[in-house]
Amino acid sequence: MNCYDNFELTSCEILDETYEGEGDKQIAKVKFVAKMTQVDSREKTAFQETSTFERAGKNIMGGAWLYKEGVIETAPGMPEPETAPKNLDEELKAQEEGQVDESKEEDGDESTAE
């Protein structure tokens, strides 16, 4: 079960499609808005995503598209999230720096037995 199992997809509107390259080197970018209804509360919500796909190669279903990544944004007309998403890289770096500082403090707090 994933988080989307709790939602009904009510519409998916493609806003833009672009293609680059040829044959099995082809890359596609698709921007869409998905509108959903939460199953229990019936709350309506939406998100916008720009997905990147690439060809799998002719040996897989004659060149099937593989999903590579997606950038999720607030859908047009929806309120911005109340809290900004955390930058995980910056958060991990801060934690690492904190651990380094803590170990320096521990070294300085060592007492010598007399």
Side-chain angles (χ1 to χ4, degrees):
M1 181 172 180
N2 66 49
C3 66
Y4 295 110
D5 290 341
N6 295 322
F7 291 89
E8 296 170 356
L9 181 65
T10 55
S11 73
C12 185
E13 179 184 355
I14 296 175
L15 304 176
D16 188 44
E17 288 182 67
T18 60
Y19 299 89
E20 299 172 13
E22 296 287 327
D24 62 352
K25 302 292 184 200
Q26 193 174 26
I27 294 174
K29 290 191 182 225
V30 180
K31 182 185 282 190
F32 65 91
V33 171
K35 295 180 181 176
M36 304 174 293
T37 302
Q38 205 282 337
V39 173
D40 299 322
S41 69
R42 305 310 295 165
E43 177 184 9
K44 296 185 183 322
T45 189
F47 68 90
Q48 178 174 293
E49 181 173 346
T50 302
S51 299
T52 302
F53 300 88
E54 69 180 34
R55 289 286 188 183
K58 298 212 184 272
N59 58 335
I60 301 174
M61 297 178 61
W65 288 103
L66 291 179
Y67 176 84
K68 296 303 285 183
E69 65 180 350
V71 176
I72 297 175
E73 303 171 90
T74 302
M78 295 297 292
E80 290 291 327
E82 290 180 21
T83 58
K86 293 182 180 178
N87 181 323
L88 186 57
D89 291 335
E90 288 178 13
E91 187 176 331
L92 290 173
K93 184 178 178 183
Q95 286 177 358
E96 288 173 2
E97 289 172 357
Q99 289 173 355
V100 170
D101 292 343
E102 289 172 8
S103 66
K104 287 180 184 176
E105 289 174 12
E106 289 173 9
D107 290 344
D109 290 341
E110 289 180 24
S111 59
T112 56
E114 294 182 31

